[in-house]
Amino acid sequence: MAAACGAAVSVAARRVARFRPPEVPPEPADLDGLDADAAAARLAELVRIPTVSSRDPGELDAAAFARFRERLADMYPGTHRTLDREVLGDGALLYRWRSGADRPPMVLMAHYDVVPVEGQEWSRDPFSGLIEDGVVHGRGAIDDKGALVAILEAVESLVAAGFTPSRDVYLSFGNDEEVAGVGAQLAVETLASRGIRPWAVLDEGGAVVSGVFPGVPGPTAVVGLAEKGLLDVELVTTDAGGHASAPARGGAPARLARAIIRIEDNPFPARLHDVVLGMVNALGRHAPVGYRVLFAHAPYLRPALAAVLSRASREADALVRTTVAITRLEGSRAANVLATRALAHANIRIALGETVQSTLERLRRVIDDPGVELRVVSGNDPSPVSRTNNEAFTLISRAVRSVYPDAAVAPYVMVQASDARHFSQVCDSVYRFMPFDLTRDELAALHAADERISVAALHRGAGFYRCLIRHL
């Protein structure tokens, strides 16, 4: 017995000893021809153009979107002389940088529409494009005009140097990502109609952050291999109604409230998907020895690690389970009239390994009330999972290290939705990463007040794309 225990301890110790970061030679930063201040000024000008998305065509400022497209051509003349440009649908942009080589192309993505600012308390004008203390302020500075500018800064600098990529490079810039529009779908359909299957696709997603993974204080660059599914459901209850002076127990709002509480009290189970296990494997190697003892044995501790992550933070919890957020409530339209109908809108992000159908079935079991109707507004299953053992992921990791040499690169699951999911139809190497080092406060400002990006981060982002393109 003692011998068996000793052998087990010895095996575990050897596993922990081997559980270290791979030794990778540093990649020199590729910042030639990149002007940080000029890039910031161009981003600031584009932030000043209020390309706010809306599902209601009557609320859309089409002139602002047209002005944005015109300014791109003025700001990046070399790019627009060298690359072919198409306008798809109502304003999606598709550029082609011809290489002359018969190889599958790389697709770099971004979107130039932004979310509204109404109801938010900004400390500065959200469309001022103010540059202050080395920071560009305004809606879209990160999401996603920052990435668009970083891509174009890289391309413009390489064009000016007379560079030609070793494979075609497509730039796909969406105009309606924030409202789950059709711009990216049109780009996919255009490529598919021409028989083009990309070698790899890179869109917005993870970033370079510090202190978000347990036990790893240093910077981590998380690259999304997949994204969760998105399901919007309306929970509806009905009742006879009547005058509010004589209410009945168990009316429509009460039944709806009970259903919401049951969903809240019975969250979806936490599970450690293989992608999250890959993140633990990559980042855990950079942890102190105490944590490495745990992370080195992650494959054998999936339930325990899933529980740990589910309690670590809201963001970590979203990595390991399907989440349900009640975002809108409706009842009676009059203060003294009982509701004949009560409605709640649930925004659901479906974890990898689950589907729209399995999610709906579980919701019905948890609510356990046939009087609560579930109406599906829209929904899609989680995306396929892209690989990490290929040249594309290796190149992305190399480009990350060129501008963030101290960052640990790891795969992860993107909990938001992006245009990238459409490209899974034509490519099996679709990645989600924003090459910016962001603080917790900067991340929290996405879709919220005081969105901003540092000039230095924007500069490094352009260097990332430059390295990526040069080493295709």
Side-chain angles (χ1 to χ4, degrees):
M1 183 68 174
C5 289
V9 170
S10 178
V11 169
R14 287 197 299 271
R15 180 178 293 117
V16 174
R18 292 193 301 267
F19 194 69
R20 295 183 177 279
E23 293 186 4
V24 181
E27 180 77 25
D30 189 2
L31 302 174
D32 290 347
L34 297 174
D35 186 326
D37 292 333
R42 284 187 276 269
L43 173 59
E45 182 174 342
L46 294 175
V47 165
R48 294 183 196 112
I49 304 175
T51 50
V52 179
S53 267
S54 175
R55 288 185 170 87
D56 182 353
E59 296 179 353
L60 199 70
D61 185 354
F65 282 76
R67 188 163 71 254
F68 186 96
R69 295 189 293 271
E70 291 169 1
R71 288 302 296 142
L72 285 187
D74 296 335
M75 289 178 172
Y76 300 102
T79 297
H80 285 79
R81 281 195 306 268
T82 305
L83 279 64
D84 305 326
R85 187 180 94 155
E86 298 177 75
V87 180
L88 308 178
D90 293 331
L93 298 174
L94 184 65
Y95 296 80
R96 181 186 182 185
W97 193 356
R98 295 177 183 269
S99 64
D102 186 19
R103 304 171 69 194
M106 177 81 179
V107 179
L108 302 178
M109 298 179 65
H111 64 87
Y112 66 96
D113 62 317
V114 300
V115 295
V117 299
E118 284 76 20
Q120 299 175 351
E121 295 185 6
W122 286 69
S123 62
R124 298 165 178 83
D125 179 349
F127 295 108
S128 68
L130 176 67
I131 302 177
E132 185 179 61
D133 297 328
V135 174
V136 182
H137 296 268
R139 173 61 82 226
I142 296 176
D143 187 15
D144 191 30
K145 293 178 180 179
L148 184 147
V149 165
I151 291 170
L152 288 174
E153 292 290 323
V155 172
E156 187 78 5
S157 71
L158 289 169
V159 166
F163 175 83
T164 300
S166 64
R167 64 176 76 235
D168 284 8
V169 176
Y170 282 85
L171 313 180
S172 178
F173 297 154
N175 64 314
D176 54 10
E177 190 272 348
E178 296 292 5
V179 293
V182 300
Q185 295 179 49
L186 293 175
V188 170
E189 291 169 5
T190 299
L191 295 181
S193 69
R194 297 169 185 170
I196 297 169
R197 292 188 63 86
W199 173 73
V201 176
L202 182 63
D203 194 11
E204 63 177 333
V208 181
V209 293
S210 297
V212 297
F213 189 80
V216 182
T220 60
V222 287
V223 181
L225 305 187
E227 60 189 62
K228 298 174 77 172
L230 177 59
L231 175 61
D232 282 298
V233 176
E234 291 178 344
L235 284 65
V236 182
T237 56
T238 57
D239 195 61
H243 200 284
S245 62
R249 291 179 60 82
R255 296 204 313 279
L256 180 64
R258 185 165 59 244
I260 293 172
I261 293 301
R262 286 176 177 172
I263 293 172
E264 184 82 6
D265 289 344
N266 295 275
F268 280 72
R271 297 191 179 98
L272 201 69
H273 189 274
D274 284 347
V275 176
V276 182
L277 182 63
M279 182 184 72
V280 172
N281 179 66
L283 297 184
R285 296 172 184 271
H286 296 263
V289 65
Y291 279 98
R292 279 194 288 119
V293 171
L294 173 65
F295 295 142
H297 296 85
Y300 312 100
L301 301 170
R302 285 190 184 225
L305 276 173
V308 168
L309 289 172
S310 71
R311 293 191 292 268
S313 67
R314 290 164 51 190
E315 294 79 9
D317 184 51
L319 289 176
V320 296
R321 73 168 87 241
T322 292
T323 59
V324 183
I326 303 299
T327 57
R328 189 161 53 87
L329 293 168
E330 295 179 8
S332 174
R333 292 179 178 269
N336 61 347
V337 176
L338 298 177
T340 58
R341 188 188 79 142
L343 178 147
H345 189 104
N347 184 264
I348 303 170
R349 306 303 170 112
I350 305 172
L352 272 60
E354 300 175 14
T355 64
V356 168
Q357 188 59 39
S358 67
T359 300
L360 290 170
E361 289 172 356
R362 189 179 189 282
L363 284 177
R364 291 190 179 99
R365 290 197 304 271
V366 167
I367 293 171
D368 192 26
D369 183 349
V372 179
E373 180 186 0
L374 298 185
R375 297 178 182 172
V376 175
V377 178
S378 62
N380 58 266
D381 293 336
S383 75
V385 178
S386 297
R387 295 185 296 143
T388 58
N389 61 342
N390 59 5
E391 292 180 354
F393 189 84
T394 299
L395 177 58
I396 291 170
S397 301
R398 177 181 182 181
V400 169
R401 288 192 298 271
S402 74
V403 286
Y404 301 105
D406 297 328
V409 182
Y412 97 121
V413 178
M414 184 169 168
V415 299
Q416 303 89 357
S418 76
D419 274 342
R421 68 188 184 280
H422 300 298
F423 277 82
S424 296
Q425 303 170 42
V426 293
C427 181
D428 60 4
S429 297
V430 179
Y431 303 99
R432 301 152 179 89
F433 177 69
M434 292 187 298
F436 305 129
D437 49 326
L438 304 175
T439 66
R440 283 181 177 270
D441 287 344
E442 287 166 346
L443 284 171
L446 293 179
H447 285 209
D450 290 340
E451 183 178 351
R452 61 202 183 275
I453 187 171
S454 72
V455 174
L458 180 66
H459 187 51
R460 285 188 285 268
F464 165 87
Y465 286 115
R466 185 180 160 92
C467 178
L468 194 71
I469 295 168
R470 284 190 65 243
H471 293 94
L472 284 173

